[in-house]
Amino acid sequence: EDFSRFDYILYMDASNKRWLSYYQKGKAAVRPLYDFGEGFHEIEDPWYSGRYALVVDQIQTCLENFLDYLIS
C-alpha cells in the first residue's frame, strides 16, 4: 500500500533495499537515503557500531537535503 500512497520510499541499507524490491509495487521511487548525503555512501546500523550520534547526524543531513531536493 505504501508504494501507491507515497512518491518516495527511502531506505538506509542493502538489507532494506532487498526487502523493498521484493514488495515494490506502485508509483513510489525507491532510493537510498544516503543519495542525499554529503560525503558518505551508506548509513550504518548503530545497533552494531554503537555510533548513534553519527547516524543521527547523517540522517538529519540526508533528510534536510531531501527536503531541499523536493522544494527545488
Side-chain angles (χ1 to χ4, degrees):
E1 179 180 321
D2 287 344
F3 290 98
S4 298
R5 285 183 53 201
F6 300 109
D7 294 325
Y8 293 91
I9 295 179
L10 305 174
Y11 63 87
M12 291 180 39
D13 62 25
S15 173
N16 297 150
K17 180 181 180 181
R18 281 190 303 275
W19 184 87
L20 289 169
S21 66
Y22 180 75
Y23 291 102
Q24 184 176 5
K25 295 178 176 106
K27 66 178 174 107
V30 177
R31 294 188 56 185
L33 182 59
Y34 53 80
D35 269 2
F36 302 96
E38 298 172 353
F40 51 92
H41 303 289
E42 67 177 10
I43 297 175
E44 65 187 53
D45 187 335
W47 178 260
Y48 298 104
S49 70
R51 300 188 319 171
Y52 291 92
L54 171 66
V55 172
V56 168
D57 288 344
Q58 288 178 334
I59 292 171
Q60 184 173 356
T61 297
C62 290
L63 291 176
E64 288 171 355
N65 292 342
F66 178 63
L67 290 175
D68 289 343
Y69 169 80
L70 292 177
I71 292 168
S72 64

